[in-house]
Amino acid sequence: NAGVTQTPKFRILKIGQSMTLQCTQDMNHNYMYWYRQDPGMGLKLIYYSVGAGITDKGEVPNGYNVSRSTTEDFPLRLELAAPSQTSVYFCASSYVAGLNYGYTFGSGTRLTVV
Amino acid sequence: GENVEQHPSTLSVQEGDSAVIKCTYSDSASNYFPWYKQELGKRPQLIIDIRSNVGEKKDQRIAVTLNKTAKHFSLHITETQPEDSAVYFCALDGPARQLTFGSGTQLTVLP
């Protein structure tokens, strides 16, 4: 049981390049999320998904796109990378069972745009 | 969207003393209030959580209190130890279980 797996762990991009951050979970969780964390700050929600085929914008969606074609995968796409997108990106998933649910975070992707 | 204010931003305590971190929020629809500990370069780690139908929850040296009327919740760490030094984040949930995080508190426990 690997939990939430993010790849890559580190990446350096040049301004204007594009990339996809991968996120996979093997817990059959319906809910998945992408957060970014700037230095010294809390996590901010970029996009989230409540199930396969359904995605919604979070607090800071500009410059990003997501897709959710399967329950397991929730990739985050950066088009035309900008220095403002330098951050640590965390993917997470959660389950819902009545009033209980649990959150699992991936280990993060540290992205630098130069 | 939801707004969460967390105070203080930094907190230094002597080993063995208590530490208290407070968060206030504006959306009364939230029902889940977790606290996370994050060490440098690591992912956030859940340390305790509380639901809206409970006023207080304790787990060994860590406790959380919730006042839904006043819209604030607090983390209490007693008998602090050097390994408690980290950044602590409060959070609360939205309708799709998405979390809104506070800005964090850097806790330093001085030996």
Side-chain angles (χ1 to χ4, degrees):
Chain A
N1 189 340
V4 177
T5 302
Q6 288 185 239
T7 56
K9 294 191 183 303
F10 304 92
R11 182 72 185 268
I12 297 175
L13 276 184
K14 294 184 178 179
I15 295 172
Q17 287 185 322
S18 300
M19 76 165 294
T20 299
L21 282 67
Q22 301 292 343
C23 176
T24 299
Q25 53 95 5
D26 61 358
M27 299 169 286
N28 203 32
H29 287 177
N30 282 333
Y31 296 73
M32 295 189 74
Y33 315 86
W34 274 105
Y35 293 89
R36 61 175 286 173
Q37 185 177 30
D38 298 335
M41 303 295 289
L43 283 72
K44 293 189 182 299
L45 183 66
I46 305 171
Y47 270 95
Y48 65 98
S49 169
V50 300
I54 306 170
T55 62
D56 260 309
K57 295 179 180 179
E59 185 182 357
V60 289
N62 291 343
Y64 306 95
N65 277 300
V66 293
S67 59
R68 184 92 184 274
S69 56
T70 66
T71 299
E72 295 77 21
D73 300 308
F74 191 41
L76 178 71
R77 179 79 178 163
L78 279 73
E79 303 282 2
L80 299 174
S84 61
Q85 293 178 304
T86 294
S87 191
V88 179
Y89 291 83
F90 289 101
C91 179
S93 70
S94 72
Y95 69 86
V96 179
L99 294 178
N100 298 313
Y101 62 94
Y103 235 79
T104 302
F105 280 94
S107 58
T109 295
R110 186 174 297 274
L111 175 67
T112 303
V113 182
V114 296
Chain B
E2 179 58 81
N3 186 43
V4 183
E5 292 194 7
Q6 182 172 343
H7 297 282
S9 57
T10 61
L11 179 60
S12 292
V13 299
Q14 289 294 137
E15 182 176 356
D17 286 351
S18 296
V20 180
I21 304 169
K22 183 176 178 179
C23 286
T24 58
Y25 61 98
S26 55
D27 185 1
S28 60
S30 298
N31 292 307
Y32 177 65
F33 305 86
W35 284 90
Y36 285 86
K37 175 183 181 182
Q38 188 177 32
E39 296 174 333
L40 192 62
K42 300 287 183 65
R43 76 192 82 185
Q45 178 186 6
L46 178 70
I47 55 172
I48 196 166
D49 56 17
I50 192 168
R51 301 191 186 279
S52 58
N53 58 344
V54 176
E56 183 173 358
K57 182 178 178 180
K58 190 173 182 180
D59 182 5
Q60 299 183 341
R61 297 187 296 109
I62 296 174
V64 56
T65 58
L66 171 65
N67 185 327
K68 282 216 77 176
T69 302
K71 297 182 183 177
H72 64 75
F73 56 114
S74 299
L75 177 70
H76 305 254
I77 306 175
T78 59
E79 302 172 26
T80 54
Q81 301 167 4
E83 52 265 37
D84 294 330
S85 295
V87 180
Y88 292 81
F89 293 97
C90 65
L92 47 81
D93 72 337
R97 305 294 188 262
Q98 71 272 40
L99 296 180
T100 299
F101 286 82
S103 54
T105 297
Q106 174 69 62
L107 173 65
T108 303
V109 180
L110 305 169

